[in-house]
Amino acid sequence: MSQSTQNIYGGQAVIEGVMFAGKHANVTAVRRKNNEIVYYEVPRTTKPWIQKLKKIPFVRGVVAILESSAKGSQHLNFSMESYAEDELDEAKDGEKPVKSAEKSGWSLSMIVGVAIAGILSFVAGKLIFTLVPALIEELLFEQAFENIIVHNLIEGIIKILFLLSYLYFISLTPIIKRLFQYHGAEHKVISAYEAGAELTVANVQKFTRLHYRCGSSFIVFSVLVGVIVYSFFHWDSLWERIYLRILLLPVVLGASYEALRFTNALRDLPVLRFLGYPGLWLQKLTTKEPTDEQVAVSIASFNRMLELDGQVANSQA
């Protein structure tokens, strides 16, 4: 099957599992300590006005990022609850292998609350990684030179070093290392699917754990695009610089999203595919080679997502 006839799918690593987002359903598969794979399934619905916004260049990136943060947080919380239950030995005998949004005991208010928390967490994290490097650069190099472009380049370098250090140190913890392995498993499954390969553990393991559409690539682009965008605006004080960074954050996110789409479209062109290399290099930190068991969980999640998508498509035919 050629990629042109396929839907484009994305996913997210969670604690001891993988989430995949389909056209009609989002599915998370998690392996429990008793080796059972359990699922969390949520119908995918989008408000018409949100769907319209997602068709507008530059605006669609911000909308997609916030939507992904909101929905992804629900699946991450499901995996964390499952992990906590295993750690506390509170898993009940005879637990059903499928947990839908209704069966998991989540009320609508809980889902909305987690979604809002996910958006706020993303925004807070992005602000920290945007403002702290600007503050450090201002404190160290304010009087060194006047060229605003040089200031922005140094800020970008500090931001990259800050990011790499953060990712390296958290990757040393066992739970994050396993999370990054599941991240690799997610990429391998998507790559195998896009190549038209049968989704078996042996086949999927042959593919690379790096992927052009990964959110890690988006992080790199946001740094590079930020250097360019900020260079069009002059500031006279530290507070004005901080204000501009906050004000321009949606612009940087929207432009970074478009850059990521552009490089993904060019990834098969030998001369231009290098545009996506910085994101792939960062993925060497944010992904690890998965085990066969982890790949099996990723395949189970993806297949269940395809199954639910197919059921909805057939019912609408």
Side-chain angles (χ1 to χ4, degrees):
M1 186 185 298
S2 67
Q3 189 174 341
S4 61
T5 61
Q6 293 175 324
N7 293 316
I8 296 178
Y9 295 112
Q12 171 184 324
V14 297
I15 305 299
E16 294 302 324
V18 177
M19 182 275 281
F20 282 107
K23 287 186 65 178
H24 305 291
N26 295 339
V27 176
T28 288
V30 171
R31 187 182 293 279
R32 303 295 293 263
K33 282 196 172 182
N34 62 4
N35 218 32
E36 179 185 20
I37 297 177
V38 296
Y39 300 88
Y40 176 60
E41 304 162 359
V42 182
R44 189 171 183 178
T45 57
T46 302
K47 301 292 184 182
W49 65 273
I50 294 180
Q51 202 61 37
K52 291 180 180 179
L53 289 177
K54 291 170 72 173
K55 295 180 180 180
I56 303 174
F58 296 98
V59 174
R60 62 190 174 190
V62 178
V63 174
I65 292 165
L66 294 179
E67 183 181 46
S68 176
S69 299
K71 294 182 177 180
S73 62
Q74 300 172 21
H75 292 262
L76 181 60
N77 270 271
F78 166 74
S79 69
M80 292 173 65
E81 287 179 357
S82 299
Y83 182 81
E85 287 178 8
D86 283 340
E87 288 296 302
L88 297 173
D89 294 323
E90 293 178 353
K92 297 180 181 179
D93 294 333
E95 184 178 16
K96 293 182 179 180
V98 176
K99 288 190 177 182
S100 67
E102 292 79 13
K103 293 177 182 177
S104 65
W106 285 44
S107 66
L108 177 60
S109 60
M110 290 173 63
I111 292 176
V112 171
V114 170
I116 294 174
I119 293 175
L120 293 177
S121 296
F122 168 79
V123 173
K126 189 59 183 172
L127 285 174
I128 290 172
F129 276 94
T130 298
L131 299 182
V132 171
L135 288 170
I136 294 175
E137 199 282 335
E138 184 82 13
L139 292 173
L140 296 179
F141 301 99
E142 178 185 7
Q143 305 298 331
F145 36 77
E146 296 183 358
N147 191 306
I148 190 172
I149 296 179
V150 176
H151 277 292
N152 287 332
L153 287 173
I154 294 177
E155 178 185 337
I157 293 172
I158 293 173
K159 191 176 296 184
I160 288 292
L161 293 175
F162 187 27
L163 175 65
L164 293 178
S165 299
Y166 170 76
L167 291 174
Y168 172 74
F169 284 112
I170 67 170
S171 70
L172 298 179
T173 62
I175 190 170
I176 298 300
K177 180 180 179 181
R178 289 187 62 81
L179 182 72
F180 286 174
Q181 286 180 295
Y182 277 106
H183 190 188
E186 173 225 326
H187 285 181
K188 283 174 176 274
V189 167
I190 291 179
S191 295
Y193 171 77
E194 292 177 342
E198 182 182 1
L199 296 184
T200 64
V201 172
N203 285 343
V204 169
Q205 284 284 35
K206 297 176 184 177
F207 288 84
T208 176
R209 72 179 197 267
L210 311 180
H211 199 284
Y212 271 78
R213 285 201 313 275
C214 176
S216 301
S217 298
F218 173 81
I219 295 173
V220 174
F221 279 115
S222 68
V223 175
L224 300 178
V225 170
V227 171
I228 298 173
V229 171
Y230 299 148
S231 296
F232 288 96
F233 299 87
H234 180 76
W235 65 86
D236 295 317
S237 67
L238 174 60
W239 296 113
E240 188 175 344
R241 184 176 188 175
I242 292 175
Y243 169 77
L244 283 172
R245 295 298 182 270
I246 297 174
L247 188 65
L248 294 172
L249 186 55
V251 178
V252 172
L253 293 177
S256 302
Y257 182 84
E258 298 302 325
L260 182 60
R261 286 172 59 95
F262 179 71
T263 58
N264 185 63
L266 298 176
R267 64 179 179 174
D268 293 326
L269 300 179
V271 178
L272 299 178
R273 64 184 306 169
F274 71 89
L275 292 173
Y277 281 6
L280 296 179
W281 294 335
L282 183 60
Q283 289 176 47
K284 290 183 178 294
L285 272 179
T286 62
T287 66
K288 303 292 183 185
E289 283 296 329
T291 65
D292 287 351
E293 290 76 15
Q294 291 168 330
V295 168
V297 173
S298 186
I299 292 173
S301 178
F302 193 80
N303 284 338
R304 181 58 181 163
M305 179 271 296
L306 290 180
E307 181 183 352
L308 293 179
D309 264 11
Q311 291 175 3
V312 174
N314 291 336
S315 67
Q316 294 176 347

